[in-house]
Amino acid sequence: QVQLVESGGGSVQAGGSLRLSCAASAYTYLTKCITWFRQVPGREREGVAAIEPGGGTTYYADSVEGRFTNTRDNAKNTLYLQMNTLKPEDTAMYYCAAKRGWFCGGDWPEETQYNAWGQGTQVTVSS
């Protein structure tokens, strides 16, 4: 059973940091590309960062490259998104999602490639 649970959202001032967590079932953690998406009401969901199992190859959207970092904790089956130098435009609901396969590849930001989603965690960045 695919299961994803996000946590770690909150409110922070611009320039601050937050770390989001995505706890996954063991099967998902070991076999699926996991991606962080974010969504603002009225706008399309945006792929932010992705990480593969095994070697942990990572992918980032241009908007967060250099500020966000994907990491994994194998002992806890948990993925983390460390978000630094946050900006007001980072304000959104953040979701982690499991892709249909292990390989993130070039289509990692495409929603249709994902078949399991967490409930989301809100991030609010004030100026």
Side-chain angles (χ1 to χ4, degrees):
Q1 181 179 359
V2 178
Q3 190 172 26
L4 300 163
V5 180
E6 302 97 334
S7 61
S11 298
V12 65
Q13 289 192 326
S17 299
L18 283 173
R19 189 179 76 162
L20 306 184
S21 300
C22 174
S25 64
Y27 175 76
T28 298
Y29 181 85
L30 293 172
T31 65
K32 305 296 184 183
C33 162
I34 303 294
T35 296
W36 289 94
F37 288 84
R38 64 186 181 188
Q39 188 169 27
V40 175
R43 297 180 61 180
E44 290 186 0
R45 194 146 43 185
E46 173 191 17
V48 173
I51 187 167
E52 292 173 350
T57 302
T58 55
Y59 304 77
Y60 298 97
D62 290 344
S63 57
V64 306
E65 181 80 53
R67 299 188 297 122
F68 290 13
T69 304
N70 247 331
T71 58
R72 306 170 62 93
D73 185 334
N74 294 335
K76 298 181 179 179
N77 292 341
T78 298
L79 301 106
Y80 301 100
L81 184 67
Q82 178 66 44
M83 306 187 295
N84 297 329
T85 319
L86 283 162
K87 305 175 181 180
E89 51 263 43
D90 294 318
T91 296
M93 183 71 78
Y94 283 71
Y95 302 88
C96 61
K99 202 167 183 269
R100 298 180 191 276
W102 68 269
F103 182 56
C104 294
D107 62 356
W108 69 267
E110 297 178 14
E111 280 190 62
T112 57
Q113 300 299 319
Y114 295 82
N115 59 355
W117 296 80
Q119 82 288 354
T121 186
Q122 177 67 36
V123 171
T124 302
V125 184
S126 58
S127 57

PDB file of all heavy atoms in Angstrom, residues 2-17:
ATOM      1  N   VAL A   2       0.599   2.125  -0.932  1.00  0.00           N
ATOM      2  CA  VAL A   2       1.362   3.359  -1.018  1.00  0.00           C
ATOM      3  C   VAL A   2       0.828   4.331   0.007  1.00  0.00           C
ATOM      4  O   VAL A   2      -0.368   4.575   0.071  1.00  0.00           O
ATOM      5  CB  VAL A   2       1.259   3.972  -2.425  1.00  0.00           C
ATOM      6  CG1 VAL A   2       2.025   5.278  -2.490  1.00  0.00           C
ATOM      7  CG2 VAL A   2       1.762   2.997  -3.468  1.00  0.00           C
ATOM      8  N   GLN A   3       1.718   4.884   0.794  1.00  0.00           N
ATOM      9  CA  GLN A   3       1.295   5.814   1.831  1.00  0.00           C
ATOM     10  C   GLN A   3       2.343   6.900   1.974  1.00  0.00           C
ATOM     11  O   GLN A   3       3.541   6.615   2.097  1.00  0.00           O
ATOM     12  CB  GLN A   3       1.124   5.073   3.161  1.00  0.00           C
ATOM     13  CG  GLN A   3       0.457   5.887   4.237  1.00  0.00           C
ATOM     14  CD  GLN A   3       0.136   5.036   5.447  1.00  0.00           C
ATOM     15  OE1 GLN A   3       0.784   4.042   5.682  1.00  0.00           O
ATOM     16  NE2 GLN A   3      -0.872   5.440   6.200  1.00  0.00           N
ATOM     17  N   LEU A   4       1.893   8.135   1.929  1.00  0.00           N
ATOM     18  CA  LEU A   4       2.777   9.268   2.049  1.00  0.00           C
ATOM     19  C   LEU A   4       2.179  10.257   3.031  1.00  0.00           C
ATOM     20  O   LEU A   4       0.996  10.610   2.909  1.00  0.00           O
ATOM     21  CB  LEU A   4       2.963   9.951   0.686  1.00  0.00           C
ATOM     22  CG  LEU A   4       3.561   9.090  -0.430  1.00  0.00           C
ATOM     23  CD1 LEU A   4       3.308   9.714  -1.788  1.00  0.00           C
ATOM     24  CD2 LEU A   4       5.043   8.893  -0.196  1.00  0.00           C
ATOM     25  N   VAL A   5       2.991  10.711   3.999  1.00  0.00           N
ATOM     26  CA  VAL A   5       2.510  11.655   4.996  1.00  0.00           C
ATOM     27  C   VAL A   5       3.519  12.791   5.115  1.00  0.00           C
ATOM     28  O   VAL A   5       4.668  12.568   5.508  1.00  0.00           O
ATOM     29  CB  VAL A   5       2.315  10.983   6.364  1.00  0.00           C
ATOM     30  CG1 VAL A   5       1.817  12.011   7.378  1.00  0.00           C
ATOM     31  CG2 VAL A   5       1.337   9.826   6.258  1.00  0.00           C
ATOM     32  N   GLU A   6       3.057  14.010   4.790  1.00  0.00           N
ATOM     33  CA  GLU A   6       3.931  15.182   4.878  1.00  0.00           C
ATOM     34  C   GLU A   6       3.800  15.845   6.246  1.00  0.00           C
ATOM     35  O   GLU A   6       2.758  15.763   6.905  1.00  0.00           O
ATOM     36  CB  GLU A   6       3.572  16.234   3.820  1.00  0.00           C
ATOM     37  CG  GLU A   6       3.615  15.764   2.384  1.00  0.00           C
ATOM     38  CD  GLU A   6       2.252  15.384   1.895  1.00  0.00           C
ATOM     39  OE1 GLU A   6       1.390  15.016   2.737  1.00  0.00           O
ATOM     40  OE2 GLU A   6       1.999  15.451   0.681  1.00  0.00           O
ATOM     41  N   SER A   7       4.854  16.525   6.632  1.00  0.00           N
ATOM     42  CA  SER A   7       4.831  17.358   7.830  1.00  0.00           C
ATOM     43  C   SER A   7       5.929  18.405   7.710  1.00  0.00           C
ATOM     44  O   SER A   7       6.763  18.338   6.798  1.00  0.00           O
ATOM     45  CB  SER A   7       5.027  16.509   9.092  1.00  0.00           C
ATOM     46  OG  SER A   7       6.282  15.858   9.048  1.00  0.00           O
ATOM     47  N   GLY A   8       5.901  19.373   8.623  1.00  0.00           N
ATOM     48  CA  GLY A   8       6.980  20.344   8.681  1.00  0.00           C
ATOM     49  C   GLY A   8       6.670  21.713   8.128  1.00  0.00           C
ATOM     50  O   GLY A   8       7.510  22.612   8.176  1.00  0.00           O
ATOM     51  N   GLY A   9       5.481  21.882   7.585  1.00  0.00           N
ATOM     52  CA  GLY A   9       5.127  23.206   7.078  1.00  0.00           C
ATOM     53  C   GLY A   9       4.953  24.202   8.210  1.00  0.00           C
ATOM     54  O   GLY A   9       4.990  23.859   9.386  1.00  0.00           O
ATOM     55  N   GLY A  10       4.771  25.453   7.842  1.00  0.00           N
ATOM     56  CA  GLY A  10       4.581  26.502   8.837  1.00  0.00           C
ATOM     57  C   GLY A  10       4.734  27.863   8.223  1.00  0.00           C
ATOM     58  O   GLY A  10       4.738  28.011   6.993  1.00  0.00           O
ATOM     59  N   SER A  11       4.855  28.860   9.089  1.00  0.00           N
ATOM     60  CA  SER A  11       5.016  30.238   8.649  1.00  0.00           C
ATOM     61  C   SER A  11       6.416  30.725   8.986  1.00  0.00           C
ATOM     62  O   SER A  11       6.929  30.456  10.072  1.00  0.00           O
ATOM     63  CB  SER A  11       3.979  31.121   9.336  1.00  0.00           C
ATOM     64  OG  SER A  11       2.680  30.736   8.980  1.00  0.00           O
ATOM     65  N   VAL A  12       6.996  31.460   8.067  1.00  0.00           N
ATOM     66  CA  VAL A  12       8.356  31.952   8.250  1.00  0.00           C
ATOM     67  C   VAL A  12       8.504  33.267   7.498  1.00  0.00           C
ATOM     68  O   VAL A  12       7.759  33.521   6.533  1.00  0.00           O
ATOM     69  CB  VAL A  12       9.371  30.901   7.748  1.00  0.00           C
ATOM     70  CG1 VAL A  12       9.252  30.694   6.252  1.00  0.00           C
ATOM     71  CG2 VAL A  12      10.788  31.244   8.154  1.00  0.00           C
ATOM     72  N   GLN A  13       9.427  34.077   7.918  1.00  0.00           N
ATOM     73  CA  GLN A  13       9.694  35.318   7.202  1.00  0.00           C
ATOM     74  C   GLN A  13      10.620  35.058   6.018  1.00  0.00           C
ATOM     75  O   GLN A  13      11.374  34.068   6.010  1.00  0.00           O
ATOM     76  CB  GLN A  13      10.326  36.336   8.139  1.00  0.00           C
ATOM     77  CG  GLN A  13       9.355  36.879   9.183  1.00  0.00           C
ATOM     78  CD  GLN A  13       9.910  38.087   9.906  1.00  0.00           C
ATOM     79  OE1 GLN A  13      11.112  38.179  10.139  1.00  0.00           O
ATOM     80  NE2 GLN A  13       9.038  39.016  10.271  1.00  0.00           N
ATOM     81  N   ALA A  14      10.559  35.938   5.054  1.00  0.00           N
ATOM     82  CA  ALA A  14      11.420  35.833   3.882  1.00  0.00           C
ATOM     83  C   ALA A  14      12.883  35.752   4.313  1.00  0.00           C
ATOM     84  O   ALA A  14      13.308  36.454   5.230  1.00  0.00           O
ATOM     85  CB  ALA A  14      11.208  37.024   2.964  1.00  0.00           C
ATOM     86  N   GLY A  15      13.611  34.853   3.653  1.00  0.00           N
ATOM     87  CA  GLY A  15      15.004  34.626   4.010  1.00  0.00           C
ATOM     88  C   GLY A  15      15.198  33.485   4.983  1.00  0.00           C
ATOM     89  O   GLY A  15      16.336  33.031   5.193  1.00  0.00           O
ATOM     90  N   GLY A  16      14.103  33.029   5.590  1.00  0.00           N
ATOM     91  CA  GLY A  16      14.178  31.963   6.561  1.00  0.00           C
ATOM     92  C   GLY A  16      14.215  30.587   5.921  1.00  0.00           C
ATOM     93  O   GLY A  16      14.274  30.448   4.697  1.00  0.00           O
ATOM     94  N   SER A  17      14.149  29.556   6.778  1.00  0.00           N
ATOM     95  CA  SER A  17      14.248  28.169   6.325  1.00  0.00           C
ATOM     96  C   SER A  17      13.162  27.311   6.961  1.00  0.00           C
ATOM     97  O   SER A  17      12.684  27.603   8.066  1.00  0.00           O
ATOM     98  CB  SER A  17      15.613  27.582   6.707  1.00  0.00           C
ATOM     99  OG  SER A  17      16.664  28.290   6.105  1.00  0.00           O
TER     100      SER A  17
END
